[in-house]
């Protein structure tokens, strides 16, 4: 795509932990061009380079460092809006952008569980965009909202999808070990998390059940039908910077052997259209055979942080199968995942006005 043909995009919450990832990834994107960076009143009017406390390696991209941060109003020179604002802000502003005609690709949680809003990971549920038609018709929006799943359940859903297609997932027991960057910046106080584990993350466990059922559900006559499964979760915050690890036990309609599960995960092929998207990884699932992998520090960057690493695939004496997943929470679980969603919408023609 020529520079002049690139689609103008805006980032809401551009100064935050996820917003910075968006800016880093979009600064050199083949299809999209940053046209506006928006944040709270605290930052609006300042140079982007001054307004944000850059928390990822390197410096803010030179081409946007001098951009003046805009306030969060639905009057930005963009076609696609990436939302990385806190939930209570997203609940209010995202519908305003969708109503005004923008394609909103959100990382926030308020609309993830809403019936007519796709919760999208294109490689596993691209067909869910069919409910956008219902969303637009019923709400009278010329734009739309598509959400990315919770960063922890993303890896679990990717690992379970190939198994669900063949064996039918019915029960999931999971214990998460979630990185501190998942709490944003400044996030958890160092005196709380160093040398420690916090066995509670507000609201997380409820989201896992709802979102996994939605991600593995199907579309029937324009309506999303959630998968029939039950989930029990323990959400823990651990002293890791990036990369969420989840220990999963799953029960199936038909019990798979560990070898069958490994083969399915290794051979899983997302739909062809997804493989042509610029942010798509060369391989979605990296199966690790070492007894002590995956690990967040060693595996979170697989395929540029876009692949889910799965290992320790073995039988479970209580349910059927046990495995461990590692997913990069601010890349696949947040900014890169939402950019992939925008690429998929673009490939499907939604970005054409
Ligand atoms: P964060 O570091 O706290 O950043 C929040 C951003 O929102 C900042 O740019 C902030 O701007 C802006 N903001 C805050 N209050 C605002 C207001 N009243 N009006 C307008 N803008 C406001 O948070 P984060 O970790 O990046 O998370 C952002 C969203 O992504 C959240 O909804 C979170 O749940 C979701 N998410 C996070 C992760 C992760 O791994 N961190 C993963 C998936 C999803 P100022 O700098 O001007 O205050």
């Amino acid at each position: 795509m020529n520079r002049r043909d690139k689609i103008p995009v805006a980032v809401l919450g551009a100064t935050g932990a996820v917003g910075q990832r968006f800016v880093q990834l979009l600064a050199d994107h083949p299809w999209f061009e940053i046209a506006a960076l928006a944040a709270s009143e605290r930052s609006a009017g300042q140079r982007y380079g001054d307004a944000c406390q850059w928390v990822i390696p390197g410096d803010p991209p030179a081409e946007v460092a001098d951009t003046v941060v805009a306030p969060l109003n639905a009057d930005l020179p963009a076609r696609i809006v990436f939302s990385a604002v806190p939930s209570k802000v997203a609940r209010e502003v995202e519908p305003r952008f969708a109503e005004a005609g923008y394609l909103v690709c959100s990382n926030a949680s308020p609309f993830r569980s809403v019936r007519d809003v796709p919760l999208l990971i294109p490689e596993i549920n691209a067909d869910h965009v069919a409910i956008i038609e219902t969303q637009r018709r019923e709400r009278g929006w010329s734009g739309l909202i598509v959400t990315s799943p919770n960063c922890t359940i993303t890896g679990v859903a990717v690992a379970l999808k190939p198994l669900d297609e063949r064996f039918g997932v019915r029960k999931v027991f999971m214990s998460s070990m979630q990185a501190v960057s998942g709490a944003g910046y400044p996030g958890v106080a160092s005196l709380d998390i160093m040398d420690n584990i916090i066995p509670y993350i507000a609201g997380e466990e409820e989201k896992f059940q709802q979102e996994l059922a939605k991600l593995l559900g199907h579309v029937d006559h324009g309506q999303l039908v959630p998968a029939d499964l039950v989930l029990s979760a323990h959400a823990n915050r651990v002293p890791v910077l990036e990369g969420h690890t989840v220990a999963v036990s799953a029960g199936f309609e038909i019990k798979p052997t560990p070898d069958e599960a490994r083969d399915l995960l290794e051979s899983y092929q997302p739909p062809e259209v997804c493989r042509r998207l610029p942010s798509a990884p060369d391989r979605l699932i990296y199966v690790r055979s070492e007894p002590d992998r995956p690990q967040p520090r060693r595996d979170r960057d697989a395929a540029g942080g876009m692949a889910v690493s799965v290992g320790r695939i073995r039988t479970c004496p209580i349910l059927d199968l046990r495995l461990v997943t590692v997913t990069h929470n601010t890349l696949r679980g947040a900014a890169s995942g939402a950019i992939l969603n925008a690429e998929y919408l673009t490939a499907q023609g939604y970005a054409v006005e």
Side-chain angles (χ1 to χ4, degrees), residues 247-262:
V248 182
S249 286
F252 299 85
E253 211 169 297
I254 306 163
K255 181 176 177 157
T257 65
D259 282 344
E260 286 173 323
R262 197 172 296 113

Side-chain angles (χ1 to χ4, degrees), residues 13-19 38-43 51 72 83-87 89 107-109 112 149-151 181-185 244 329-330 333-334:
T15 50
V18 175
S40 76
E41 294 299 333
R42 185 191 67 77
S43 307
L72 228 63
S83 172
V85 287
S87 296
V89 182
N107 264 148
S109 60
R112 287 184 190 147
N150 169 283
C151 44
S181 59
Y185 185 83
H244 289 348
N329 53 298
T330 59

Side-chain angles (χ1 to χ4, degrees), residues 2 34 55 110 117-118 129 136 178 193 222 230 232 254 271 280-281 283 285 291 301 319 341 352:
N2 293 324
I34 295 173
V55 293
V117 176
V129 298
R136 286 175 143 174
Q178 300 179 219
I193 195 67
V230 62
S232 170
I254 306 163
R283 208 155 18 113
I285 301 171
D301 291 322
L319 297 175
N341 286 352
V352 179

Side-chain angles (χ1 to χ4, degrees), residues 104-220:
V104 179
C105 293
S106 177
N107 264 148
S109 60
F111 294 95
R112 287 184 190 147
S113 57
V114 172
R115 191 181 48 82
D116 60 355
V117 176
L119 186 59
L120 191 61
I121 302 176
E123 296 107 317
I124 71 165
N125 67 354
D127 58 313
H128 288 199
V129 298
I131 66 175
I132 290 172
E133 214 177 296
T134 312
Q135 179 192 113
R136 286 175 143 174
R137 192 180 57 246
E138 292 181 356
R139 294 173 186 260
W141 289 348
S142 51
L144 59 90
I145 300 179
V146 161
T147 54
S148 303
N150 169 283
C151 44
T152 304
I153 208 65
T154 294
V156 178
V158 166
L160 291 180
K161 175 68 179 179
L163 307 177
D164 184 51
E165 281 178 348
R166 176 80 66 86
F167 300 109
V169 178
R170 291 292 168 262
K171 293 180 180 172
V172 177
F173 174 79
M174 58 179 271
S175 192
S176 71
M177 290 152 269
Q178 300 179 219
V180 285
S181 59
Y185 185 83
V188 190
S190 55
L191 285 178
D192 286 334
I193 195 67
M194 284 174 73
D195 185 32
N196 205 11
I197 287 172
I198 301 171
Y200 174 67
I201 304 175
E204 285 288 273
E205 293 167 1
E206 298 75 16
K207 285 181 201 161
F208 299 156
Q209 160 79 47
Q210 271 184 341
E211 295 191 21
L212 186 65
K214 193 170 175 185
L215 285 162
L216 298 183
H218 67 278
V219 178
D220 184 18

Side-chain angles (χ1 to χ4, degrees), residues 33 75 97 103 157 173 189 213 242 262 266 277 314 340 346 351:
E33 184 171 33
D75 185 21
F97 279 94
L103 311 190
F173 174 79
E242 303 257 31
R262 197 172 296 113
E266 270 173 347
L277 303 176
R314 61 213 193 279
L340 187 71
T346 301

